[in-house]
């Protein structure tokens, strides 16, 4: 009953627009008063999740992505992607997806992709004559690649919370991220061939004489994932050290491109500090909320429910969890959802012998699908703001990509090797 009351209060606060940290914190404070728990004990619980060295990678990757944006790299990436796939009907839609996959290796977040590269993508598609609702839909859905293709802020938070090797999570998300990219492009291909609107999409071919230059200008930014993934895979650097290297490299590129100024650098640092502060508050409050639901016996209840399912079929158990994550992702930001759900489920995962890498990657994939699904998919609101469209319009367009994303999630659940093979080979 206590858990139901806390959950109900949490959802009520979310529905009326209260920020996630307060929506979690207010019910927790009420529990504190009812249970007569000393305040000093609570402060210890909230501080504990923050005392994790791995979390240093969080601000580092956030700063790296923002520096790449400030360094003028987004335009070069978009032109590079256009040179590769612009020759097909609906070329800028393909370009949108490929450019987001490239930018994902630098930003690590869906919101960073949608708010940063998304503005460039929307402007280009508007100039080419694409319908604005279509442009907003493909831009929002391509942003889900941000937390999948390493480096990923969501996986850093997951690794720190669940005590899973972040290097393995990064590598585990690479193939699912590529699968998601291919699924979105197949969706575009089918619509361009079999729908009336798709047959009117333009071809956005880059002139042949400009292709070599566009490719050459795109190569330096694309060395970032080699620095991050290669350094981690070969044991040269830790994920945290790789993030610092990515920051240094982005600053160097910005100086070479003459895009970085003192003003831009200060704005980037300020934005990063504000974002990290938000993350840390959510991490601390979620730690307290999770301690409460654990104390009230929620993990045992979930374990009792899942044990018969997993005993009969581990795949069926993962399918049930996948559906659960999809629902949670539609209500919560990915980071908040990971912080809330992981401490409850991780002991159950270990007890039942599930592969933690497979579990972690399935969780992230399902939760990021949730960020473009109603009622509270955060990227729906971000893209509605960027495109100056009603949230309802963006949501309706995003739903057309949902089958492709669900198929990707189902393949990942049915074939764990998509998540576990690369880490087992390289690490």
């Amino acid at each position: 009953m206590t858990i139901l009351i806390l959950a109900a209060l949490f959802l009520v606060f979310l529905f009326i627009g209260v920020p996630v940290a307060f929506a979690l914190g207010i019910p927790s404070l009420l529990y504190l008063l009812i249970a007569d728990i000393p305040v000093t004990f609570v402060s210890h619980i909230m501080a504990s999740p923050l005392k994790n060295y791995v979390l240093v990678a969080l601000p580092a990757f956030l700063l790296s992505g923002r520096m790449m944006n400030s360094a003028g790299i987004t335009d070069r990436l978009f032109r590079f992607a256009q040179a590769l796939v612009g020759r097909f009907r609906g070329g800028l839609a393909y370009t949108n997806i490929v450019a987001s996959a490239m930018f994902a290796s630098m930003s690590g977040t869906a919101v960073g992709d949608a708010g940063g590269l998304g503005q460039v993508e929307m402007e280009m598609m508007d100039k080419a004559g694409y319908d604005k609702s279509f442009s907003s839909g493909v831009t929002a859905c391509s942003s889900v690649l941000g937390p999948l293709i390493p480096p990923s802020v969501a996986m850093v938070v997951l690794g720190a919370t669940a005590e899973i090797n972040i290097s393995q999570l990064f590598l585990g998300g690479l193939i699912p991220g590529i699968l998601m990219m291919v699924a979105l492009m197949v969706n575009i291909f089918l619509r361009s061939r079999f729908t009336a609107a798709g047959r009117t999409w333009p071809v956005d071919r880059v002139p042949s004489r400009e292709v070599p230059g566009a490719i050459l200008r795109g190569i330096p930014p694309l060395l970032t994932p080699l620095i991050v993934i290669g350094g981690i895979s070969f044991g040269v650097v830790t994920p945290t050290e790789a993030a610092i290297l990515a920051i240094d490299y982005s600053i160097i590129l910005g100086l070479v491109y003459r895009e970085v100024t003192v003003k831009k650098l200060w704005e980037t640092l300020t934005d990063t500090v504000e974002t990290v502060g938000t993350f840390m508050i959510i991490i601390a409050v979620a730690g307290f909320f999770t301690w409460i639901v654990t104390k009230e016996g929620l993990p045992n209840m979930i374990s009792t429910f899942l044990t018969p399912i997993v005993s009969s079929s581990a795949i069926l158990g993962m399918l049930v969890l996948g559906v659960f994550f999809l629902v949670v992702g539609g209500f919560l930001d990915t980071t908040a959802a990971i912080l809330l759900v992981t401490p409850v489920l991780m002991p159950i995962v270990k007890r039942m012998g599930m592969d933690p890498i497979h579990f972690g990657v399935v969780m992230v994939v399902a939760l990021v699908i949730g960020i473009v699904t109603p009622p509270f998919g955060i990227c729906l609101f971000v893209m509605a703001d960027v495109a100056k469209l009603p949230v309802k319009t963006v949501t309706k367009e995003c739903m057309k990509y949902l089958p492709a994303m669900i198929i990707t999630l189902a393949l990942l659940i049915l074939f764990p090797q998509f998540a576990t093979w690369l880490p087992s080979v390289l690490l």
Side-chain angles (χ1 to χ4, degrees), residues 101-123:
M102 295 174 181
F103 192 69
S105 65
M106 303 165 201
S107 71
T109 65
V111 174
D113 186 298
L117 184 61
Q119 292 180 334
V120 177
E121 293 167 337
M122 286 291 298
E123 288 173 7

Side-chain angles (χ1 to χ4, degrees), residues 123 125 128 130 133 188 270 294 338 401 418 422:
E123 288 173 7
M125 294 184 76
Y130 286 86
S133 62
I188 295 294
T270 303
T294 303
I338 289 172
Y401 299 90
F418 283 133
L422 203 57

Side-chain angles (χ1 to χ4, degrees), residues 113-196:
D113 186 298
L117 184 61
Q119 292 180 334
V120 177
E121 293 167 337
M122 286 291 298
E123 288 173 7
M124 292 289 287
M125 294 184 76
D126 286 347
K127 288 178 183 177
Y130 286 86
D131 181 73
K132 185 169 282 191
S133 62
F134 168 70
S135 304
S136 65
V138 69
T139 303
C141 290
S142 66
S143 70
V144 305
L145 299 172
L148 301 182
I149 296 176
S152 164
V153 170
M155 289 184 179
V156 171
V157 175
L158 175 60
T161 307
E163 297 182 353
I164 302 175
N165 186 291
I166 294 178
S167 302
Q168 292 183 325
L169 283 174
F170 277 3
L171 294 175
L174 184 58
I175 294 177
I178 293 172
L179 283 176
M180 185 70 78
M181 179 187 73
V182 171
L184 294 174
M185 293 180 74
V186 169
N187 180 293
I188 295 294
F189 173 80
L190 294 175
R191 292 173 66 186
S192 70
R193 293 296 185 275
F194 301 109
T195 66

Side-chain angles (χ1 to χ4, degrees), residues 358-376:
H358 183 220
F359 167 79
V361 175
V362 167
M363 176 191 284
V364 173
V365 171
L367 289 176
V368 298
I369 293 174
I371 66 177
V372 290
T373 56
F376 291 116

Side-chain angles (χ1 to χ4, degrees), residues 8-42:
L9 286 172
F10 171 56
L11 292 175
V12 167
F13 286 128
L14 274 185
F15 273 110
I16 63 176
V18 175
V20 173
F22 294 101
L24 285 171
I26 295 172
S28 302
L29 287 175
L30 292 176
Y31 179 87
L32 173 69
L33 295 173
I34 295 169
D36 195 25
I37 298 172
V39 176
T40 51
F41 183 63
V42 176

Side-chain angles (χ1 to χ4, degrees), residues 56-401:
V56 176
L58 176 61
F61 279 125
L62 286 171
L63 178 57
S64 170
R66 282 161 173 73
M67 280 304 307
M68 287 289 176
N69 206 12
S70 300
I73 289 169
T74 49
D75 293 328
R76 290 172 172 82
L77 283 179
F78 194 84
R79 195 65 174 168
F80 176 85
Q82 190 178 6
L84 295 180
V85 293
R87 63 179 61 88
F88 305 108
R89 186 187 302 155
L92 282 185
Y94 292 112
T95 301
N96 191 316
I97 295 168
V98 174
S100 290
M102 295 174 181
F103 192 69
S105 65
M106 303 165 201
S107 71
T109 65
V111 174
D113 186 298
L117 184 61
Q119 292 180 334
V120 177
E121 293 167 337
M122 286 291 298
E123 288 173 7
M124 292 289 287
M125 294 184 76
D126 286 347
K127 288 178 183 177
Y130 286 86
D131 181 73
K132 185 169 282 191
S133 62
F134 168 70
S135 304
S136 65
V138 69
T139 303
C141 290
S142 66
S143 70
V144 305
L145 299 172
L148 301 182
I149 296 176
S152 164
V153 170
M155 289 184 179
V156 171
V157 175
L158 175 60
T161 307
E163 297 182 353
I164 302 175
N165 186 291
I166 294 178
S167 302
Q168 292 183 325
L169 283 174
F170 277 3
L171 294 175
L174 184 58
I175 294 177
I178 293 172
L179 283 176
M180 185 70 78
M181 179 187 73
V182 171
L184 294 174
M185 293 180 74
V186 169
N187 180 293
I188 295 294
F189 173 80
L190 294 175
R191 292 173 66 186
S192 70
R193 293 296 185 275
F194 301 109
T195 66
R199 286 190 286 268
T200 65
W201 293 341
V203 174
D204 308 288
R205 190 190 305 272
V206 175
S208 300
R209 65 180 182 277
E210 296 180 16
V211 170
I215 292 176
L216 286 174
R217 284 190 294 273
I219 289 175
L222 290 176
L223 293 177
T224 306
L226 292 180
I227 294 172
V228 174
I229 301 172
I232 293 172
S233 300
F234 292 103
V236 179
V237 292
T238 65
T240 303
E241 293 165 344
I244 303 303
L245 284 177
I247 294 171
D248 295 339
Y249 185 60
S250 63
I251 292 174
I252 291 170
L253 287 180
L255 293 173
V256 171
Y257 296 151
R258 298 181 180 179
E259 294 280 353
V260 173
T261 63
V262 174
K263 182 181 178 182
K264 273 189 176 181
L265 183 59
W266 181 254
E267 289 174 351
T268 302
L269 290 170
T270 303
D271 183 39
T272 303
V273 169
E274 290 175 353
T275 305
V276 171
T278 303
F279 272 114
M280 293 305 177
I281 290 173
I282 294 174
I283 289 172
V285 176
F288 181 35
F289 191 85
T290 303
W291 177 83
I292 292 172
V293 297
T294 303
K295 181 176 179 293
E296 291 295 323
L298 183 60
N300 291 332
M301 292 164 54
I302 296 174
S303 180
T304 302
F305 170 73
L306 285 179
T307 298
I309 299 174
V310 176
S311 299
S312 61
S313 170
I315 296 297
L316 182 59
M318 195 63 79
L319 283 169
V320 171
L321 288 174
V323 173
F324 171 70
F325 294 143
L326 283 172
V327 174
V328 172
F331 286 89
L332 286 177
D333 172 71
T334 304
T335 303
I338 289 172
L339 292 167
L340 193 61
V341 171
T342 304
V344 176
L345 290 181
M346 205 60 206
I348 302 168
V349 169
K350 292 178 180 177
R351 194 181 311 150
M352 294 180 175
M354 295 181 179
D355 188 298
I357 302 300
H358 183 220
F359 167 79
V361 175
V362 167
M363 176 191 284
V364 173
V365 171
L367 289 176
V368 298
I369 293 174
I371 66 177
V372 290
T373 56
F376 291 116
I378 189 169
C379 276
L380 299 177
F381 297 94
V382 172
M383 281 315 306
D385 181 61
V386 171
K388 307 303 179 188
L389 290 172
V391 175
K392 181 180 177 181
T393 302
V394 180
T395 302
K396 183 178 178 181
E397 186 63 34
C398 285
M399 291 300 97
K400 298 175 182 178
Y401 299 90

